[in-house]
Amino acid sequence: MFSEDTPERVTLSQRDTHVRLQDVLDLLVRSQPAANVDLVKQAYVFSAKVHHKQVRLSGEPYLFHPLNVAWLIARMSLDDISVITALLHDTLEDSLTQPEELERLFGPVVRFLVEGVTKLARVSFHSGGERQAENVRKMLVAMAHDLRVIFVKLADRLHNMRTLDALEPARREAISQETLDIYAPLANRLGIQWIRSELEDWAFHWLHPRQFDEVAEKLSDFCVEREKYMADVVGILKQMLSENGIPAEVSGRIKHPYSIYRKMQLKHVDFDQIYDIIAFRIVPTTLDDCYRVLGLLHAMWKPVVGRFKDYIAMPKINRYQSLHTTVLGPGGERLEIQIRTREMHRVAELGVAAHWAYKEGKTDQRPALSQFTWLRELIEQYKDVRDPAEFLENVKVDLFSDEVFVFTPQGDVKALPFGATALDFAYLVHTQVGHHCVGAKVNGKIAPLRQKLKNGDTVEILTRPDQKPSKDWLAFVKTTSARNKIRSVIRAEERKRSEEIGRELLEKESKRRGINLQRAWKAGGVGEAARNLGYKDAEELLIALGYGRVQVSRVLERLAPEPKKEAPRELASEIKIDLPEEAFRKPGKKSKSGILVQGLDDVMVHFAKCCSPILGDELIGVVTRGRGVTVHVRTCRRVADADPERRIDVRWDMESAVARSVALRVVCDDRQGLLANVSNVLSDAGVNITQVAAKVIDVGTAVVNLKIAVESLEQLQKMIQKLERVKGVNRVERVHG
């Protein structure tokens, strides 16, 4: 009776190595009676042959992995081509198989899908962030042609998450974090909730094993304690439906561990203070019955104000439909109840896969994709974003966001991500409306552009012709589309200003040295100097001069090179000194800041306060006029806001270890002596505390904000682990900004 989001949900203690080919075929034929079973068997044999003698790090035969991925795909009720792709998805990466061979044996569609799923393992990248960005970009582009790419990718990631125990802890944590950042939100946006839930739970399990065990144990105890209460509620609901002649299925469920943990984090509360752990679902047969059931519920139990959502009238962006309400049930306890038809429930479980229809023998899936506007917009927005940090930031923002529905003055409904502002709405209406907006009216009242919108708000934008986008807007705008449009205008203005500064610097220094710059321009000397220095043209060179990326003296050396001084012939021919090669090398300088800036000597360096980099973080530098180079963590949001022309490669000087201050946030029980315990742990480890502040945020819960001096990311991670072992400490997190 009591189930999770799907009756077949796999628990974290289970393994799937027992899956057989026949299990896959049985699931496939059940949903796709006309499936080409012989071709699936052929794919299985081919996969077994190319993966022969290969084993996973766990020691299991490698074939178990593609077979389990194929089983997950069949469980999603997808077609035979999807199952074949799952069986073959690692053949290009982990064997000598060539794409042409796949096409010859299984057709062009399978080749396309396998290439779309394959990681970019053979490509060289400058950083882990760049690799991750390009993998995600490739996946999104492939989705534009055929949605089956992402289905197989999600199934592949899910089985990998189930079997991460064989990996090194650092690699396991990196994969789990990527899963939380990219794959779980993507599964959510695609509406495949059972995959999203399990991906989140596995990531939670690998990233925070102690906290996972605590939440899972408390959930287990809760289920035992509340089993009778849940059964009573289900009985009451069934009786109500029977008395009113409404045929419907009724079930109760317990929310999954990560959703509970996330709510505890967001609200800064303990498990015992979460009141909506139980949820119930009523599945009538017709749309009319959904609203009848809602009326009966609200007549029987008092609804909680502000806790009703009609996703039937206004579906979510992934086509999810349901009525959500919270009522005060038996004993005055809050009950969260969902009401939806069987078809709506099928869509809620399978998401995009429930709508998806393929055209046999064709790779073009744009008609299916056209049903999901957000997918098209996602791909369109990211196709020209080349910077890895900016790309990943945009993807994460778009994938994580829930929705609010607001109205134009004409009554049109507009969907925006949760947390979107009046400024986001302005850019959604039109780019020029966004550029020139000065304020808004929300529900008839004047409101600032930064005001966050709520469901049902009516928004009118106020504009002025002379208004221009401000850099300050980037601090509160939510949507990727609006952010990119603001950045575009600001960067264009910055480039124009930098070009003017570069021109002034060049003219001033040329005049001082007596160089005829006018003649150099006419003769093409400036353009040639630009190309010699690695710039496309003179305009790019002037911009670089204005940003401070190149020195004026280097340009003038190429416009008017000084004559070389010849050594006296008698000395050159007669004096021979046999010195080792090292004698001619410039002595290496240790960096006082601990940072080496590529291509620049004696440059002023300072660390960004927004992300506080420490040794071990991947870095990027931003040239700041008059302040040298500002060093950021490569994934810092401020980096994405900066003009790419101002970014410069920087790296840690491994010979100059410098202790740096890092902010930590410790969420803990409000008990006497805990702050002393935390301080003692750090003191015993030889770590200096530079700042500390503690405050009670709720009954029984406190937060300790610390600043500690550490020399590396590795040392910081060890400190966090030690602090999390202190009795009463619930969570420790690094604070950026």
Side-chain angles (χ1 to χ4, degrees):
M1 180 185 296
F2 308 120
S3 64
E4 270 288 357
D5 287 2
T6 173
E8 295 182 274
R9 179 174 167 76
V10 181
T11 65
L12 298 189
S13 61
Q14 291 177 321
R15 279 288 189 268
D16 300 314
T17 52
H18 63 280
V19 170
R20 303 165 302 159
L21 176 62
Q22 193 57 49
D23 298 323
V24 177
L25 295 176
D26 289 345
L27 273 177
L28 175 63
V29 173
R30 190 186 307 167
S31 62
Q32 308 281 340
N36 189 340
V37 173
D38 290 337
L39 195 61
V40 174
K41 291 179 179 178
Q42 184 182 337
Y44 174 76
V45 171
F46 184 87
S47 184
K49 182 181 72 172
V50 300
H51 292 306
H52 181 56
K53 293 186 179 179
Q54 290 183 0
V55 293
R56 307 187 82 204
L57 291 176
S58 61
E60 301 168 339
Y62 196 90
L63 183 62
F64 285 160
H65 173 61
L67 189 58
N68 277 281
V69 175
W71 182 80
L72 290 168
I73 288 295
R75 188 181 157 196
M76 293 164 67
S77 301
L78 294 172
D79 66 318
D80 47 8
I81 294 296
S82 300
V83 172
I84 290 168
T85 301
L87 289 168
L88 302 173
H89 77 274
D90 276 337
T91 55
L92 294 182
E93 183 180 343
D94 296 323
S95 77
L96 298 177
T97 305
Q98 297 299 312
E100 293 77 16
E101 186 177 7
L102 286 184
E103 183 169 347
R104 178 173 56 81
L105 293 173
F106 303 102
V109 179
V110 170
R111 171 184 173 171
F112 172 82
L113 293 174
V114 173
E115 287 185 317
V117 175
T118 300
K119 303 182 189 80
L120 302 182
R122 301 186 182 97
V123 182
S124 175
F125 295 108
H126 294 101
S127 68
E130 187 174 342
R131 175 182 292 277
Q132 184 189 40
E134 288 307 315
N135 276 325
V136 175
R137 187 196 302 277
K138 182 177 182 183
M139 183 174 65
L140 292 175
V141 170
M143 283 170 60
H145 295 280
D146 197 318
L147 291 174
R148 287 173 287 192
V149 169
I150 192 56
F151 299 146
V152 177
K153 190 63 183 174
L154 286 173
D156 174 45
R157 178 52 62 108
L158 178 54
H159 187 253
N160 281 334
M161 291 298 294
R162 292 176 177 177
T163 54
L164 281 186
D165 49 337
L167 296 185
E168 292 291 327
R171 181 69 181 136
R172 192 162 58 215
E173 290 174 10
I175 292 173
S176 298
Q177 192 60 56
E178 182 185 55
T179 298
L180 274 184
D181 288 345
I182 302 294
Y183 291 95
L186 188 54
N188 182 48
R189 290 299 294 269
L190 291 167
I192 313 173
Q193 297 306 324
W194 67 274
I195 286 185
R196 184 215 73 189
S197 298
E198 194 175 338
L199 286 175
E200 289 178 341
D201 284 349
W202 274 114
F204 179 25
H205 170 74
W206 296 123
L207 287 169
H208 307 289
R210 183 177 67 82
Q211 291 91 330
F212 175 85
D213 290 341
E214 288 177 359
V215 173
E217 184 179 353
K218 288 178 180 178
L219 272 177
S220 180
D221 294 342
F222 181 87
C223 288
V224 174
E225 293 171 4
R226 306 309 304 273
E227 186 173 2
K228 184 179 183 305
Y229 181 83
M230 292 175 69
D232 290 344
V233 171
V234 169
I236 294 170
L237 291 173
K238 284 185 173 181
Q239 183 179 351
M240 177 196 75
L241 294 166
S242 176
E243 289 174 354
N244 288 275
I246 301 175
E249 299 171 9
V250 182
S251 62
R253 66 187 179 94
I254 302 294
K255 294 186 176 180
H256 65 105
Y258 181 73
S259 68
I260 300 295
Y261 176 70
R262 192 156 179 248
K263 190 162 288 189
M264 289 167 62
Q265 282 188 307
L266 291 173
K267 295 187 175 182
H268 307 299
V269 297
D270 294 329
F271 181 91
D272 297 335
Q273 295 169 285
I274 302 292
Y275 300 111
D276 54 354
I277 294 173
I278 306 173
F280 296 88
R281 183 177 297 130
I282 302 173
V283 184
T285 54
T286 68
L287 176 62
D288 288 345
D289 282 346
C290 288
Y291 287 97
R292 285 184 63 200
V293 169
L294 179 70
L296 291 169
L297 272 176
H298 286 180
M300 180 171 62
W301 292 323
K302 186 176 180 180
V304 177
V305 177
R307 297 286 295 171
F308 168 68
K309 293 180 181 177
D310 188 345
Y311 291 118
I312 293 179
M314 291 189 290
K316 286 189 176 184
I317 204 163
N318 57 19
R319 295 200 162 190
Y320 172 89
Q321 288 184 290
S322 186
L323 298 175
H324 290 195
T325 187
T326 300
V327 297
L328 298 177
E333 293 198 23
R334 288 190 173 200
L335 304 179
E336 189 177 291
I337 302 175
Q338 300 171 350
I339 310 165
R340 58 195 186 220
T341 66
R342 289 176 183 173
E343 176 59 21
M344 292 174 190
H345 182 62
R346 189 177 76 90
V347 171
E349 294 303 309
L350 296 177
V352 171
H355 301 283
W356 181 82
Y358 71 97
K359 297 187 292 182
E360 189 173 353
K362 297 183 180 179
T363 60
D364 186 359
Q365 290 299 311
R366 277 169 287 191
L369 188 62
S370 66
Q371 300 174 24
F372 305 96
T373 306
W374 72 270
L375 276 176
R376 292 202 320 275
E377 292 176 348
L378 196 71
I379 294 160
E380 185 67 25
Q381 285 173 183
Y382 301 151
K383 69 179 182 181
D384 296 324
V385 179
R386 292 286 167 249
D387 179 67
E390 181 178 344
F391 173 79
L392 285 176
E393 177 218 344
N394 290 345
V395 171
K396 291 172 188 177
V397 167
D398 281 343
L399 291 183
F400 264 122
S401 57
D402 207 339
E403 293 173 293
V404 293
F405 297 93
V406 298
F407 296 91
T408 68
Q410 293 74 35
D412 297 328
V413 179
K414 299 286 184 182
L416 286 160
F418 181 79
T421 63
L423 182 59
D424 291 294
F425 178 85
Y427 276 102
L428 182 63
V429 172
H430 195 278
T431 301
Q432 293 304 316
V433 173
H435 286 344
H436 300 296
C437 64
V438 292
K441 284 186 178 180
V442 178
N443 303 323
K445 297 180 180 178
I446 296 292
L449 291 174
R450 64 173 60 243
Q451 179 162 318
K452 292 181 179 180
L453 302 177
K454 302 187 298 293
N455 273 318
D457 281 346
T458 298
V459 187
E460 179 184 354
I461 299 299
L462 308 175
T463 61
R464 197 172 62 212
D466 60 344
Q467 174 70 2
K468 292 181 180 179
S470 164
K471 204 167 187 175
D472 295 338
W473 290 1
L474 293 171
F476 60 84
V477 74
K478 177 74 175 179
T479 59
T480 298
S481 176
R483 182 176 296 277
N484 287 343
K485 290 170 182 176
I486 296 166
R487 282 176 179 160
S488 178
V489 173
I490 292 172
R491 287 173 181 173
E493 291 181 351
E494 284 185 350
R495 283 170 63 86
K496 183 179 178 182
R497 176 62 181 149
S498 292
E499 184 182 354
E500 292 171 355
I501 292 172
R503 190 182 297 274
E504 289 174 8
L505 289 172
L506 188 59
E507 288 175 350
K508 184 178 179 180
E509 190 63 17
S510 297
K511 187 175 181 181
R512 191 181 71 80
R513 294 194 184 191
I515 297 172
N516 191 328
L517 186 60
Q518 198 77 10
R519 185 183 301 166
W521 275 108
K522 289 181 179 178
V526 179
E528 186 178 348
R531 289 185 288 274
N532 288 339
L533 289 167
Y535 295 96
K536 184 177 70 174
D537 52 31
E539 181 183 338
E540 294 297 320
L541 176 62
L542 293 178
I543 291 169
L545 279 170
Y547 279 139
R549 290 178 62 91
V550 65
Q551 296 173 345
V552 181
S553 58
R554 294 185 65 195
V555 180
L556 295 178
E557 283 171 7
R558 282 156 178 78
L559 291 179
E562 294 182 7
K564 294 182 180 179
K565 295 180 180 179
E566 294 185 6
R569 290 192 178 183
E570 63 275 16
L571 291 179
S573 60
E574 294 175 10
I575 300 176
K576 292 183 180 180
I577 303 176
D578 189 16
L579 290 176
E581 183 182 348
E582 286 77 9
F584 297 98
R585 292 179 183 167
K586 186 178 180 180
K589 294 181 180 178
K590 287 188 178 181
S591 168
K592 292 181 181 179
S593 64
I595 295 296
L596 298 175
V597 182
Q598 181 179 328
L600 294 178
D601 297 324
D602 303 323
V603 66
M604 183 168 56
V605 170
H606 65 278
F607 290 88
K609 293 181 180 178
C610 51
C611 52
S612 300
I614 56 175
L615 182 65
D617 287 328
E618 287 191 35
L619 303 178
I620 190 73
V622 177
V623 178
T624 310
R625 195 177 298 118
R627 298 181 63 196
V629 174
T630 304
V631 179
H632 292 261
V633 175
R634 186 173 285 273
T635 55
C636 177
R637 185 169 181 171
R638 294 286 181 89
V639 174
D641 291 339
D643 190 330
E645 292 288 339
R646 293 169 53 200
R647 297 175 202 161
I648 190 168
D649 288 337
V650 298
R651 60 186 174 86
W652 293 105
D653 182 355
M654 305 309 291
E655 296 182 5
S656 299
V658 179
R660 294 200 33 77
S661 182
V662 176
L664 293 179
R665 185 172 186 270
V666 182
V667 181
C668 54
D669 296 341
D670 179 20
R671 70 168 176 82
Q672 189 174 0
L674 193 141
L675 183 57
N677 295 153
V678 168
S679 299
N680 289 337
V681 166
L682 295 169
S683 178
D684 291 345
V687 173
N688 186 35
I689 302 174
T690 59
Q691 186 176 317
V692 62
K695 65 177 180 179
V696 176
I697 59 171
D698 209 332
V699 178
T701 303
V703 168
V704 179
N705 291 304
L706 297 165
K707 281 193 177 180
I708 62 175
V710 293
E711 291 187 354
S712 68
L713 184 60
E714 182 182 4
Q715 185 186 17
L716 175 64
Q717 290 169 342
K718 287 179 180 177
M719 289 304 99
I720 290 176
Q721 290 171 1
K722 287 184 177 182
L723 290 173
E724 286 181 336
R725 288 196 285 268
V726 174
K727 184 180 178 181
V729 171
N730 302 316
R731 187 172 73 257
V732 181
E733 55 194 25
R734 180 180 176 183
V735 179
H736 294 292

